[in-house]
Amino acid sequence: MAAESRGTTNEAIDVTTGANGSSAALTPEEREWLDHRFESWVETYKKSMLTPITLSLVAKHQPAEISTVAEAVTAATGWQITERGLYRTIKRLQDSGFLVSTAADAPRTGAKRKLLSITALGAGYLTGIRGNLVEVPGG
């Protein structure tokens, strides 16, 4: 079956043709199952892609505030990520030695804020990921 997704949202999948080119009609149960499988795949994809996206955006904006990274992720992908999810990803990247943070005084308030930078190890990791990304062939 050929399937098309409209945009990057979790909209329903529009199944247009069967494997032999004939029209495909799904039962409501098949549609529900397919939608669930698609949504599950999208969530897995987002979680796995958050690492290279975060590393890329920190490299582009460094030293970058976490709020800048969050806004840039949404702008680049259209995804709404939770603060908790982003902090978890950043912590994991710091623990792996891919990102470092430094404390800086915020303008006007003097409050401490974290500025993120990518390390040489993180840049090498990102290069390796980029070298192995593939695009899904068009149909």
Side-chain angles (χ1 to χ4, degrees):
M1 268 189 267
E4 295 177 5
S5 169
R6 289 178 237 119
T8 58
T9 62
N10 289 341
E11 293 180 24
I13 299 168
D14 180 22
V15 177
T16 56
T17 58
N20 62 3
S22 63
S23 294
L26 297 178
T27 66
E29 292 82 14
E30 289 171 326
R31 167 70 59 196
E32 182 180 342
W33 180 84
L34 189 58
D35 287 346
H36 174 72
R37 298 294 299 191
F38 171 71
E39 289 170 11
S40 175
W41 180 86
V42 168
E43 288 307 310
T44 300
Y45 174 75
K46 286 179 181 180
K47 286 178 184 174
S48 65
M49 286 304 296
L50 193 54
T51 291
I53 290 169
T54 300
L55 288 172
S56 294
L57 292 171
V58 168
K60 180 179 179 180
H61 298 283
Q62 67 185 333
E65 292 184 46
I66 293 175
S67 62
T68 301
V69 174
E71 291 168 8
V73 168
T74 300
T77 64
W79 301 340
Q80 296 299 319
I81 59 171
T82 64
E83 208 173 283
R84 180 179 177 203
L86 182 59
Y87 275 101
R88 230 183 329 197
T89 298
I90 289 170
K91 170 113 174 71
R92 185 174 36 77
L93 294 172
Q94 287 177 309
D95 291 347
S96 298
F98 298 150
L99 293 178
V100 294
S101 65
T102 55
D105 292 334
R108 295 181 297 222
T109 65
K112 294 292 182 195
R113 62 183 177 165
K114 267 188 182 180
L115 298 177
L116 300 170
S117 296
I118 193 167
T119 64
L121 186 61
Y125 184 67
L126 181 57
T127 298
I129 290 173
R130 285 180 173 154
N132 286 284
L133 291 176
V134 297
E135 288 192 36
V136 177

